[in-house]
Amino acid sequence: MFRKILIANRGEIAVRIIRACRDLVISPIAVYSEADTRAVHVGLCDEAVCIGPAASVHSYLNIVAIINAAKNTGAEAIHPGYGFLAENADFAQAVTEAGLAFIGPGAEAMRIMGSKTSARRAAIHAGVPIVPGTVEALTSFDEARNTAEQFGYPVMLKASAGGGGKGMRLVASFDELRSAFDSAKSEAASAFGDSAVYLEKAIERPRHIEIQVFADGHGNVVHLGERECSIQRRHQKVIEECPSPINDPVLRERMGAAAVKLARAVNYLGAGTVEFLVADATRDFYFLEMNTRLQVEHPVTELVTGLDLVREQITVTAGAPLSFRQEDVSWNGHAIECRVYAEDPENNFFPSPGRITYLKVPCGPGIRDDSGVEANSEVSIHYDPLISKLAAWGRSRDEALDRLRRALDEYEVGGIKTTLPVFREIVRDKEFQSGQLDTGFISRFNERRSAARVSEAKDSDPEQQVRNDMALIAASIHYLRLQREASRNAQVPVETQSRWKMSGRVDLLATRDVTSSRVKKPRTR
Ligand code: MV4
């Protein structure tokens, strides 16, 4: 077993990896930027190395500095967490070439899955159903028109190099194809440095369900069931559940077997996630993409299977077989996770950085909070503003929801704005409670909210409106400056930039509906 592992990350996921290291009596080593000298993950490690200034391109994305830190401290392995360098095949290769172990799959599997078109070809090769569409980039507008006719409108154009919705366009009919084709290509070029786009038939109101897979170096590949991730805002997950409220053991086995076939086909190692779109009515499922990392939402799988995914990542990288077989995996009860962000839901979810002046973290039966902050922590503008992942487990979905509601009401964060009030509303929403989820949930939920608040907007304070708009303009100027800095550094893949930079919020300047941003303070109890 490794004696020292360097953690190439920060925040809650660094803390999660530190805990797995401690359980295995491995010494965790932190890296940190100049903005993170007092961060929680630094204080919890045995050693910590400063790897550069606040901007992540100069610190958490600095491959040379991170590998040097590992060598200088005698670490034998590097855990990349998620985001930053986690899916950068060049990083995985550089780590291995430096004589260190990369806790993740091989660079080759990462490269195949890094391109959506090559991932789709791998899926076909493995016999896994994909969303109908092309498996090569479109070479001309004529080809786009012909394939759109072949598969039938509505279609979606997606960036080959992409993932997560950037460079994605829904095209309802031929009238929209020209402008969608041109804008998808230019968005893909500026986001990924690669203008290639391909085409898929659009699946209407699908669920987004993903399968957790795990592989060791001894030929064992297993699945740990599904997570329901249909609740997304601007292609970022908001709430995740295990199992899906569909909770269909036959569907789980079919999707699990497909995911295992794909992992085998690319000689996968460690933890991976295979994403699918699921048509509710027919229970047909279609491969979307494979994420070659530990996912943010892994805790819901851990709560329901009782397994420790990070521990297993470390032990299989060290050469051990998986500690369980497929037939040992069982799913007990239900878990639901909320991603709590330092964002202002009353101001279009703009980041709300600053010092946490007060913190009361919920606890009690069935509650787990994976956090990267504490009282007096500074939430930096430089990184993803995730504060914690609040998860609840119960014997049934209803029991998990009861506990989640209680925990959300207990949770108090002072000094900054958070998304907690939105979660308190979602867990009381009838549609959410019903479990009839699909990818249109958030927009329907927002419609219901604004409908309920139309009268509220009328008597709002005009001076507060001005203050809100000033704050929005200031944040936007800061955002544009960060974006310009990031684009100067061409070798940085967009996926590894912070979540809110990727979410394209600058377009809010042009499109924001000022009335809908003024909402009533939700009743929490
Ligand atoms: C789709 C789709 C419908 N048909 N692909 C892909 C990235 C993800 N963030 C959004 N994606 C979608 N891809 C086809 N062929 C619908 C979506 C989608 C979506 C998926 C999951 C959760 C929320 C979503 C919101 C809008 C669109």
Side-chain angles (χ1 to χ4, degrees):
M1 185 45 58
F2 306 120
R3 282 168 303 135
K4 285 185 177 187
I5 292 177
L6 182 132
I7 300 160
N9 217 303
R10 64 180 304 285
E12 70 83 18
I13 196 60
V15 173
R16 171 69 189 87
I17 297 161
I18 291 164
R19 290 182 171 138
C21 288
R22 294 295 181 199
D23 288 349
L24 287 162
V25 200
I26 293 167
S27 176
I29 300 170
V31 294
Y32 64 97
S33 73
E34 286 166 10
D36 271 344
T37 51
R38 275 175 294 214
V40 173
H41 77 281
V42 175
L44 288 174
C45 281
D46 291 339
E47 294 167 74
V49 181
C50 184
I51 48 168
S56 33
V57 289
H58 297 124
S59 48
Y60 297 104
L61 293 170
N62 186 338
I63 293 177
V64 172
I66 290 167
I67 291 177
N68 282 338
K71 285 189 189 159
N72 293 338
T73 54
E76 299 131 305
I78 297 183
H79 196 309
Y82 56 70
F84 293 128
L85 296 167
E87 292 180 280
N88 183 320
D90 294 340
F91 177 60
Q93 192 173 330
V95 170
T96 311
E97 283 170 2
L100 306 164
F102 179 77
I103 300 178
E108 197 44 45
M110 287 169 74
R111 285 202 179 92
I112 293 168
M113 295 307 169
S115 153
K116 298 195 74 170
T117 38
S118 83
R120 282 162 64 78
R121 293 194 293 274
I124 289 180
H125 188 71
V128 173
I130 62 169
V131 184
T134 67
V135 294
E136 300 287 349
L138 299 166
T139 53
S140 67
F141 177 72
D142 277 353
E143 194 186 342
R145 189 191 58 214
N146 292 337
T147 48
E149 266 156 35
Q150 181 193 333
F151 292 105
Y153 290 97
V155 297
M156 288 190 112
L157 296 171
K158 295 187 177 185
S160 303
K166 255 273 149 91
M168 191 169 97
R169 293 288 183 282
L170 176 64
V171 189
S173 68
F174 177 71
D175 303 343
E176 301 172 8
L177 188 62
R178 180 89 241 181
S179 74
F181 183 74
D182 293 342
S183 66
K185 279 187 91 66
S186 74
E187 191 173 311
S190 65
F192 308 109
D194 177 356
S195 69
V197 297
Y198 71 101
L199 182 143
E200 284 179 6
K201 184 161 180 61
I203 310 295
E204 279 170 75
R205 287 177 59 148
R207 284 183 191 248
H208 176 127
I209 296 180
E210 61 189 28
I211 299 284
Q212 177 71 54
V213 293
F214 234 108
D216 65 20
H218 302 265
N220 303 302
V221 187
V222 299
H223 74 86
L224 305 184
E226 83 280 12
R227 290 183 289 261
E228 164 96 43
C229 302
S230 294
I231 301 194
Q232 303 189 5
R233 182 182 176 277
R234 292 176 166 266
H235 304 302
Q236 299 293 336
K237 292 164 189 163
V238 175
I239 294 185
E240 307 98 349
E241 306 188 32
C242 177
S244 163
I246 297 182
N247 203 2
D248 174 346
V250 176
L251 182 61
R252 177 175 305 129
E253 278 320 304
R254 288 168 57 218
M255 294 179 70
V260 166
K261 274 198 291 186
L262 183 60
R264 272 196 198 286
V266 296
N267 194 22
Y268 203 79
L269 180 72
T273 296
V274 183
E275 297 187 345
F276 295 95
L277 292 179
V278 179
D280 239 35
T282 59
R283 304 264 152 124
D284 286 330
F285 59 87
Y286 308 96
F287 169 73
L288 206 54
E289 52 192 270
M290 181 170 188
N291 302 317
T292 56
R293 58 166 193 271
L294 183 72
Q295 302 253 126
V296 177
E297 58 272 24
H298 76 278
V300 291
T301 299
E302 294 189 325
L303 285 167
V304 169
T305 62
L307 297 167
D308 180 337
L309 271 60
V310 183
R311 180 191 183 103
E312 220 66 40
Q313 281 189 298
I314 295 169
T315 55
V316 302
T317 304
L322 282 168
S323 71
F324 57 90
R325 293 158 302 177
Q326 184 69 66
E327 56 266 36
D328 302 326
V329 180
S330 60
W331 294 272
N332 180 24
H334 199 101
I336 309 175
E337 175 185 278
C338 298
R339 296 193 188 183
V340 181
Y341 276 93
E343 293 176 336
D344 183 359
E346 298 193 38
N347 203 356
N348 274 308
F349 296 87
F350 253 79
S352 177
R355 184 167 300 280
I356 295 175
T357 54
Y358 178 78
L359 187 64
K360 185 161 160 230
V361 176
C363 194
I367 294 302
R368 167 173 170 178
D369 185 64
D370 281 57
S371 172
V373 300
E374 57 195 11
N376 292 316
S377 277
E378 189 80 39
V379 177
S380 168
I381 191 75
H382 292 99
Y383 313 111
D384 185 288
L386 181 68
I387 299 172
S388 90
K389 304 178 309 201
L390 178 64
W393 180 89
R395 289 166 299 172
S396 63
R397 186 171 189 264
D398 283 344
E399 189 175 68
L401 251 172
D402 289 340
R403 289 170 166 177
L404 183 58
R405 218 175 284 122
R406 177 248 302 166
L408 285 164
D409 288 352
E410 246 179 63
Y411 208 156
E412 289 180 53
V413 184
I416 56 167
K417 297 283 176 33
T418 76
T419 52
L420 282 167
V422 182
F423 289 115
R424 294 183 186 122
E425 287 187 57
I426 292 177
V427 295
R428 288 169 174 82
D429 182 79
K430 287 283 178 293
E431 189 183 340
F432 178 71
Q433 289 173 355
S434 80
Q436 292 286 65
L437 309 177
D438 64 68
T439 54
F441 175 84
I442 284 288
S443 62
R444 292 193 299 275
F445 173 76
N446 284 335
E447 303 253 296
R448 285 195 287 280
R449 281 174 94 217
S450 37
R453 279 148 194 208
V454 152
S455 59
E456 209 68 30
K458 278 189 298 204
D459 44 52
S460 67
D461 174 3
E463 280 184 39
Q464 187 57 40
Q465 283 178 44
V466 173
R467 283 194 291 272
N468 287 348
D469 288 347
M470 291 299 286
L472 179 65
I473 290 161
S476 302
I477 290 167
H478 185 77
Y479 166 82
L480 286 166
R481 194 171 291 154
L482 284 177
Q483 202 184 41
R484 213 167 297 137
E485 265 171 34
S487 68
R488 259 187 239 123
N489 197 317
Q491 71 263 40
V492 180
V494 167
E495 287 126 301
T496 60
Q497 295 183 11
S498 87
R499 198 189 67 89
W500 79 273
K501 276 192 255 174
M502 284 171 59
S503 66
R505 282 164 208 227
V506 74
D507 63 12
L508 295 172
L509 258 188
T511 60
R512 190 176 74 119
D513 169 3
V514 177
T515 53
S516 70
S517 73
R518 263 176 269 118
V519 292
K520 187 175 102 182
K521 285 249 177 4
R523 194 168 40 78
T524 62
R525 268 164 245 262

